[in-house]
Amino acid sequence: MTIVEEHRTEIRVQDTVYRIEVAAREGGGAAGEDRWVTVMVGGAGPQEEPVAEGRLDIDAEAIPALATVLSDTLLAFAGRGSGRNGRRRSADRPAHQGLPWSEELDAELESRWLTGESVEEIARRFERTPGGIRARLPRVGCDPERRGAYLPIPPSQREVGETG
């Protein structure tokens, strides 16, 4: 398995320090290409005594649903309202905003752009923001300013005799 992304956060609540570590990794599934996320939570009191400990191993496709359930549940227990009304982020936030892109999604993005779909149509299909789509297009070689077009090849990468 290969770790592809890690995040660590530490917060203090009175005399207790909580640590949250999240690692995204590839591999480990039957096909060897599955993407998993591990979430580890720990907490230590003023005398370093453990007060929280846990680990979740989650298929990356389940993250949006699980994040919503955990957020809503924790906010309800904290007395900050129930359900989506207690959330700080807008309920209109696209479901896949901020999630990693796969090779398959990149290929579909490129295909849809080259067939002439608009940024807004693609954003709805991928459940992402139009800004996220515009930012990803150059990574797959597409020109976000010209619908249906690739980025021009820079002169330094053109073959001899090729004209721009």
CSV table of all heavy atoms in Angstrom, one decimal, residues 32-82:
chain,number,residue,atom,x,y,z
A,32,GLY,N,-6.0,-4.4,-6.1
A,32,GLY,CA,-4.8,-3.7,-5.8
A,32,GLY,C,-4.9,-2.2,-6.2
A,32,GLY,O,-3.9,-1.5,-6.1
A,33,GLU,N,-6.0,-1.8,-6.6
A,33,GLU,CA,-6.2,-0.4,-7.0
A,33,GLU,C,-7.2,0.4,-6.1
A,33,GLU,O,-7.5,1.5,-6.4
A,33,GLU,CB,-6.6,-0.3,-8.4
A,33,GLU,CG,-5.6,-0.9,-9.4
A,33,GLU,CD,-6.2,-0.9,-10.8
A,33,GLU,OE1,-7.3,-0.5,-11.1
A,33,GLU,OE2,-5.4,-1.4,-11.7
A,34,ASP,N,-7.7,-0.2,-5.1
A,34,ASP,CA,-8.7,0.4,-4.2
A,34,ASP,C,-8.0,1.6,-3.5
A,34,ASP,O,-6.9,1.6,-3.2
A,34,ASP,CB,-9.3,-0.6,-3.2
A,34,ASP,CG,-10.0,-1.7,-3.9
A,34,ASP,OD1,-11.2,-1.5,-4.3
A,34,ASP,OD2,-9.4,-2.7,-4.1
A,35,ARG,N,-8.8,2.6,-3.2
A,35,ARG,CA,-8.3,3.7,-2.4
A,35,ARG,C,-9.0,3.7,-1.1
A,35,ARG,O,-10.3,3.7,-1.0
A,35,ARG,CB,-8.6,5.0,-3.2
A,35,ARG,CG,-7.9,6.2,-2.6
A,35,ARG,CD,-8.0,7.3,-3.6
A,35,ARG,NE,-7.6,8.5,-3.0
A,35,ARG,CZ,-6.4,9.1,-3.1
A,35,ARG,NH1,-5.5,8.5,-3.8
A,35,ARG,NH2,-6.1,10.2,-2.5
A,36,TRP,N,-8.2,3.8,0.0
A,36,TRP,CA,-8.7,3.7,1.3
A,36,TRP,C,-8.3,4.9,2.1
A,36,TRP,O,-7.2,5.5,1.8
A,36,TRP,CB,-8.2,2.4,2.0
A,36,TRP,CG,-8.9,1.2,1.5
A,36,TRP,CD1,-8.6,0.5,0.4
A,36,TRP,CD2,-10.1,0.6,2.0
A,36,TRP,NE1,-9.4,-0.5,0.2
A,36,TRP,CE2,-10.4,-0.5,1.2
A,36,TRP,CE3,-10.9,0.8,3.1
A,36,TRP,CZ2,-11.5,-1.3,1.4
A,36,TRP,CZ3,-11.9,0.0,3.3
A,36,TRP,CH2,-12.2,-1.1,2.5
A,37,VAL,N,-9.0,5.3,3.1
A,37,VAL,CA,-8.7,6.4,4.0
A,37,VAL,C,-8.7,5.8,5.5
A,37,VAL,O,-9.6,5.1,5.8
A,37,VAL,CB,-9.6,7.6,3.9
A,37,VAL,CG1,-9.3,8.6,4.9
A,37,VAL,CG2,-9.6,8.1,2.5
A,38,THR,N,-7.6,6.1,6.2
A,38,THR,CA,-7.6,5.7,7.6
A,38,THR,C,-7.7,7.0,8.5
A,38,THR,O,-6.9,7.9,8.2
A,38,THR,CB,-6.3,5.0,7.9
A,38,THR,OG1,-6.2,3.8,7.1
A,38,THR,CG2,-6.2,4.6,9.4
A,39,VAL,N,-8.6,6.9,9.4
A,39,VAL,CA,-8.8,8.1,10.4
A,39,VAL,C,-8.4,7.5,11.7
A,39,VAL,O,-9.0,6.6,12.2
A,39,VAL,CB,-10.2,8.6,10.3
A,39,VAL,CG1,-10.4,9.7,11.3
A,39,VAL,CG2,-10.6,9.0,8.9
A,40,MET,N,-7.4,8.2,12.4
A,40,MET,CA,-7.0,7.8,13.7
A,40,MET,C,-7.3,9.0,14.7
A,40,MET,O,-6.9,10.1,14.4
A,40,MET,CB,-5.6,7.4,13.8
A,40,MET,CG,-5.3,6.1,13.0
A,40,MET,SD,-3.6,5.6,13.0
A,40,MET,CE,-3.0,6.7,11.8
A,41,VAL,N,-7.9,8.7,15.8
A,41,VAL,CA,-8.3,9.7,16.8
A,41,VAL,C,-7.7,9.3,18.1
A,41,VAL,O,-7.8,8.1,18.5
A,41,VAL,CB,-9.8,9.9,16.9
A,41,VAL,CG1,-10.1,10.9,18.0
A,41,VAL,CG2,-10.4,10.3,15.6
A,42,GLY,N,-7.0,10.2,18.8
A,42,GLY,CA,-6.4,10.0,20.1
A,42,GLY,C,-6.6,11.2,20.9
A,42,GLY,O,-6.6,12.3,20.4
A,43,GLY,N,-6.6,11.0,22.2
A,43,GLY,CA,-6.6,12.1,23.1
A,43,GLY,C,-5.9,11.8,24.4
A,43,GLY,O,-5.9,10.6,24.9
A,44,ALA,N,-5.3,12.8,25.0
A,44,ALA,CA,-4.5,12.6,26.3
A,44,ALA,C,-4.9,13.7,27.2
A,44,ALA,O,-5.0,14.9,26.8
A,44,ALA,CB,-3.0,12.6,26.0
A,45,GLY,N,-5.1,13.3,28.5
A,45,GLY,CA,-5.5,14.3,29.5
A,45,GLY,C,-4.2,15.0,30.1
A,45,GLY,O,-3.1,14.8,29.6
A,46,PRO,N,-4.4,15.8,31.1
A,46,PRO,CA,-3.3,16.6,31.6
A,46,PRO,C,-2.1,15.7,32.2
A,46,PRO,O,-1.0,16.2,32.1
A,46,PRO,CB,-3.9,17.4,32.8
A,46,PRO,CG,-5.3,16.8,33.0
A,46,PRO,CD,-5.6,16.0,31.8
A,47,GLN,N,-2.3,14.5,32.6
A,47,GLN,CA,-1.3,13.6,33.1
A,47,GLN,C,-0.9,12.6,32.0
A,47,GLN,O,-0.3,11.6,32.3
A,47,GLN,CB,-1.7,12.8,34.3
A,47,GLN,CG,-1.6,13.4,35.6
A,47,GLN,CD,-1.8,14.9,35.9
A,47,GLN,OE1,-2.3,15.0,36.6
A,47,GLN,NE2,-1.3,15.9,35.5
A,48,GLU,N,-1.2,13.0,30.7
A,48,GLU,CA,-0.9,12.1,29.6
A,48,GLU,C,-1.7,10.8,29.6
A,48,GLU,O,-1.4,9.9,28.8
A,48,GLU,CB,0.6,11.8,29.5
A,48,GLU,CG,1.5,13.0,29.3
A,48,GLU,CD,1.3,13.7,28.0
A,48,GLU,OE1,1.1,13.0,26.9
A,48,GLU,OE2,1.3,14.9,27.9
A,49,GLU,N,-2.8,10.7,30.4
A,49,GLU,CA,-3.6,9.5,30.4
A,49,GLU,C,-4.5,9.6,29.2
A,49,GLU,O,-5.0,10.6,28.8
A,49,GLU,CB,-4.5,9.5,31.7
A,49,GLU,CG,-5.6,10.5,31.8
A,49,GLU,CD,-5.2,11.9,32.3
A,49,GLU,OE1,-4.0,12.2,32.3
A,49,GLU,OE2,-6.1,12.7,32.6
A,50,PRO,N,-4.6,8.4,28.5
A,50,PRO,CA,-5.5,8.3,27.3
A,50,PRO,C,-7.0,8.6,27.6
A,50,PRO,O,-7.5,8.0,28.6
A,50,PRO,CB,-5.3,6.9,26.8
A,50,PRO,CG,-4.5,6.2,27.8
A,50,PRO,CD,-4.0,7.1,28.8
A,51,VAL,N,-7.6,9.5,26.9
A,51,VAL,CA,-9.0,9.7,27.1
A,51,VAL,C,-9.8,9.5,25.8
A,51,VAL,O,-11.1,9.5,25.9
A,51,VAL,CB,-9.2,11.2,27.5
A,51,VAL,CG1,-8.6,11.4,28.9
A,51,VAL,CG2,-8.7,12.2,26.5
A,52,ALA,N,-9.2,9.2,24.7
A,52,ALA,CA,-9.8,8.9,23.5
A,52,ALA,C,-8.9,8.1,22.6
A,52,ALA,O,-7.7,8.4,22.6
A,52,ALA,CB,-10.3,10.2,22.7
A,53,GLU,N,-9.5,7.1,21.9
A,53,GLU,CA,-8.6,6.3,21.0
A,53,GLU,C,-9.6,5.6,20.0
A,53,GLU,O,-10.6,5.1,20.4
A,53,GLU,CB,-7.9,5.2,21.8
A,53,GLU,CG,-6.9,4.4,21.0
A,53,GLU,CD,-6.1,3.4,21.8
A,53,GLU,OE1,-6.7,2.9,22.8
A,53,GLU,OE2,-5.0,3.2,21.5
A,54,GLY,N,-9.2,5.6,18.8
A,54,GLY,CA,-10.0,5.0,17.8
A,54,GLY,C,-9.4,5.0,16.4
A,54,GLY,O,-8.5,5.8,16.1
A,55,ARG,N,-9.9,4.1,15.5
A,55,ARG,CA,-9.3,4.1,14.2
A,55,ARG,C,-10.5,3.6,13.3
A,55,ARG,O,-11.2,2.7,13.6
A,55,ARG,CB,-8.2,3.1,14.1
A,55,ARG,CG,-7.7,2.8,12.7
A,55,ARG,CD,-6.6,1.8,12.7
A,55,ARG,NE,-6.3,1.4,11.3
A,55,ARG,CZ,-5.1,1.2,10.9
A,55,ARG,NH1,-4.1,1.4,11.7
A,55,ARG,NH2,-4.9,0.9,9.7
A,56,LEU,N,-10.6,4.2,12.1
A,56,LEU,CA,-11.5,3.8,11.1
A,56,LEU,C,-10.8,3.6,9.8
A,56,LEU,O,-9.9,4.4,9.4
A,56,LEU,CB,-12.6,4.9,10.8
A,56,LEU,CG,-13.6,5.2,11.9
A,56,LEU,CD1,-14.4,6.5,11.5
A,56,LEU,CD2,-14.5,4.1,12.0
A,57,ASP,N,-11.0,2.5,9.1
A,57,ASP,CA,-10.5,2.3,7.7
A,57,ASP,C,-11.7,2.3,6.8
A,57,ASP,O,-12.6,1.5,7.0
A,57,ASP,CB,-9.8,0.9,7.7
A,57,ASP,CG,-8.5,0.9,8.4
A,57,ASP,OD1,-7.6,1.8,8.2
A,57,ASP,OD2,-8.3,0.1,9.3
A,58,ILE,N,-11.7,3.2,5.9
A,58,ILE,CA,-12.9,3.5,5.1
A,58,ILE,C,-12.5,3.5,3.6
A,58,ILE,O,-11.5,4.1,3.2
A,58,ILE,CB,-13.4,4.9,5.4
A,58,ILE,CG1,-13.6,5.0,6.9
A,58,ILE,CG2,-14.7,5.2,4.7
A,58,ILE,CD1,-13.6,6.5,7.4
A,59,ASP,N,-13.4,2.9,2.8
A,59,ASP,CA,-13.3,2.9,1.4
A,59,ASP,C,-13.5,4.4,1.0
A,59,ASP,O,-14.5,5.0,1.4
A,59,ASP,CB,-14.3,2.0,0.7
A,59,ASP,CG,-14.3,2.0,-0.8
A,59,ASP,OD1,-13.8,3.0,-1.4
A,59,ASP,OD2,-14.6,0.9,-1.4
A,60,ALA,N,-12.7,5.0,0.2
A,60,ALA,CA,-12.7,6.4,-0.2
A,60,ALA,C,-14.1,6.8,-0.7
A,60,ALA,O,-14.5,7.9,-0.6
A,60,ALA,CB,-11.6,6.8,-1.1
A,61,GLU,N,-14.8,5.9,-1.4
A,61,GLU,CA,-16.1,6.2,-2.0
A,61,GLU,C,-17.1,6.5,-1.0
A,61,GLU,O,-18.1,7.2,-1.2
A,61,GLU,CB,-16.5,5.1,-3.0
A,61,GLU,CG,-15.7,5.1,-4.2
A,61,GLU,CD,-16.2,4.0,-5.2
A,61,GLU,OE1,-17.4,3.7,-5.1
A,61,GLU,OE2,-15.4,3.6,-6.0
A,62,ALA,N,-16.9,6.0,0.3
A,62,ALA,CA,-17.9,6.1,1.3
A,62,ALA,C,-17.7,7.4,2.1
A,62,ALA,O,-18.5,7.8,3.0
A,62,ALA,CB,-17.9,4.9,2.3
A,63,ILE,N,-16.5,8.1,1.9
A,63,ILE,CA,-16.2,9.3,2.7
A,63,ILE,C,-17.3,10.3,2.7
A,63,ILE,O,-17.6,10.8,3.8
A,63,ILE,CB,-14.8,9.9,2.3
A,63,ILE,CG1,-13.7,8.9,2.5
A,63,ILE,CG2,-14.5,11.2,2.9
A,63,ILE,CD1,-13.4,8.6,4.0
A,64,PRO,N,-17.8,10.8,1.6
A,64,PRO,CA,-18.8,11.9,1.7
A,64,PRO,C,-20.0,11.5,2.6
A,64,PRO,O,-20.4,12.3,3.4
A,64,PRO,CB,-19.3,12.1,0.2
A,64,PRO,CG,-18.1,11.6,-0.6
A,64,PRO,CD,-17.5,10.4,0.2
A,65,ALA,N,-20.5,10.3,2.4
A,65,ALA,CA,-21.7,9.9,3.2
A,65,ALA,C,-21.3,9.8,4.7
A,65,ALA,O,-22.0,10.3,5.6
A,65,ALA,CB,-22.3,8.6,2.7
A,66,LEU,N,-20.2,9.2,5.0
A,66,LEU,CA,-19.7,9.0,6.4
A,66,LEU,C,-19.4,10.4,7.0
A,66,LEU,O,-19.7,10.6,8.2
A,66,LEU,CB,-18.5,8.1,6.4
A,66,LEU,CG,-18.0,7.8,7.9
A,66,LEU,CD1,-19.1,7.1,8.6
A,66,LEU,CD2,-16.8,6.9,7.8
A,67,ALA,N,-18.8,11.3,6.3
A,67,ALA,CA,-18.5,12.6,6.8
A,67,ALA,C,-19.7,13.3,7.2
A,67,ALA,O,-19.8,14.0,8.3
A,67,ALA,CB,-17.7,13.4,5.8
A,68,THR,N,-20.8,13.2,6.4
A,68,THR,CA,-22.0,13.9,6.7
A,68,THR,C,-22.6,13.3,8.0
A,68,THR,O,-23.1,14.0,8.9
A,68,THR,CB,-23.0,13.8,5.6
A,68,THR,OG1,-22.5,14.4,4.4
A,68,THR,CG2,-24.4,14.4,5.9
A,69,VAL,N,-22.7,12.0,8.1
A,69,VAL,CA,-23.3,11.3,9.3
A,69,VAL,C,-22.5,11.7,10.5
A,69,VAL,O,-23.1,12.0,11.5
A,69,VAL,CB,-23.3,9.8,9.0
A,69,VAL,CG1,-23.7,9.1,10.3
A,69,VAL,CG2,-24.3,9.4,8.0
A,70,LEU,N,-21.1,11.6,10.5
A,70,LEU,CA,-20.3,11.9,11.6
A,70,LEU,C,-20.5,13.3,12.1
A,70,LEU,O,-20.6,13.6,13.2
A,70,LEU,CB,-18.8,11.6,11.4
A,70,LEU,CG,-18.4,10.1,11.4
A,70,LEU,CD1,-17.0,10.0,11.0
A,70,LEU,CD2,-18.6,9.6,12.8
A,71,SER,N,-20.4,14.2,11.1
A,71,SER,CA,-20.6,15.7,11.4
A,71,SER,C,-21.9,16.0,12.0
A,71,SER,O,-22.0,16.6,13.1
A,71,SER,CB,-20.4,16.5,10.1
A,71,SER,OG,-20.7,17.8,10.4
A,72,ASP,N,-23.0,15.5,11.4
A,72,ASP,CA,-24.3,15.7,12.0
A,72,ASP,C,-24.5,15.1,13.4
A,72,ASP,O,-25.0,15.7,14.3
A,72,ASP,CB,-25.4,15.1,11.1
A,72,ASP,CG,-25.5,15.9,9.7
A,72,ASP,OD1,-24.9,17.0,9.6
A,72,ASP,OD2,-26.2,15.4,8.8
A,73,THR,N,-24.0,13.9,13.6
A,73,THR,CA,-24.1,13.2,14.9
A,73,THR,C,-23.3,13.9,15.9
A,73,THR,O,-23.8,14.2,17.0
A,73,THR,CB,-23.6,11.8,14.7
A,73,THR,OG1,-24.4,11.1,13.7
A,73,THR,CG2,-23.8,11.0,16.0
A,74,LEU,N,-22.1,14.3,15.6
A,74,LEU,CA,-21.2,15.0,16.6
A,74,LEU,C,-21.8,16.3,17.0
A,74,LEU,O,-21.8,16.7,18.2
A,74,LEU,CB,-19.8,15.1,16.2
A,74,LEU,CG,-19.0,13.7,16.1
A,74,LEU,CD1,-17.7,13.9,15.4
A,74,LEU,CD2,-18.9,13.1,17.5
A,75,LEU,N,-22.3,17.1,16.0
A,75,LEU,CA,-22.9,18.4,16.3
A,75,LEU,C,-24.1,18.2,17.1
A,75,LEU,O,-24.4,19.1,18.0
A,75,LEU,CB,-23.2,19.1,15.0
A,75,LEU,CG,-21.9,19.7,14.2
A,75,LEU,CD1,-22.3,20.2,12.9
A,75,LEU,CD2,-21.2,20.7,15.1
A,76,ALA,N,-24.9,17.2,16.8
A,76,ALA,CA,-26.1,17.0,17.6
A,76,ALA,C,-25.8,16.7,19.1
A,76,ALA,O,-26.4,17.2,20.0
A,76,ALA,CB,-26.9,15.8,17.1
A,77,PHE,N,-24.7,15.9,19.3
A,77,PHE,CA,-24.3,15.6,20.7
A,77,PHE,C,-23.7,16.8,21.4
A,77,PHE,O,-23.8,16.9,22.6
A,77,PHE,CB,-23.3,14.4,20.7
A,77,PHE,CG,-23.9,13.1,20.8
A,77,PHE,CD1,-24.1,12.3,19.6
A,77,PHE,CD2,-24.4,12.6,22.0
A,77,PHE,CE1,-24.7,11.1,19.7
A,77,PHE,CE2,-25.0,11.3,22.0
A,77,PHE,CZ,-25.1,10.6,20.9
A,78,ALA,N,-23.1,17.7,20.6
A,78,ALA,CA,-22.5,18.9,21.1
A,78,ALA,C,-23.6,20.0,21.4
A,78,ALA,O,-23.3,21.0,21.9
A,78,ALA,CB,-21.4,19.5,20.2
A,79,GLY,N,-24.8,19.7,21.0
A,79,GLY,CA,-25.9,20.7,21.3
A,79,GLY,C,-25.9,21.8,20.3
A,79,GLY,O,-26.5,22.9,20.5
A,80,ARG,N,-25.3,21.6,19.1
A,80,ARG,CA,-25.3,22.6,18.1
A,80,ARG,C,-26.3,22.4,17.0
A,80,ARG,O,-26.1,22.6,15.9
A,80,ARG,CB,-23.9,22.7,17.4
A,80,ARG,CG,-22.9,23.2,18.3
A,80,ARG,CD,-21.6,23.3,17.6
A,80,ARG,NE,-20.8,24.3,18.1
A,80,ARG,CZ,-19.6,24.5,17.6
A,80,ARG,NH1,-19.1,23.8,16.6
A,80,ARG,NH2,-18.8,25.5,18.1
A,81,GLY,N,-27.5,21.9,17.4
A,81,GLY,CA,-28.5,21.6,16.4
A,81,GLY,C,-28.5,20.2,16.0
A,81,GLY,O,-27.6,19.5,16.3
A,82,SER,N,-29.5,19.8,15.2
A,82,SER,CA,-29.5,18.5,14.7
A,82,SER,C,-29.5,18.6,13.2
A,82,SER,O,-30.0,19.5,12.6
A,82,SER,CB,-30.7,17.8,15.2
A,82,SER,OG,-31.9,18.4,14.8
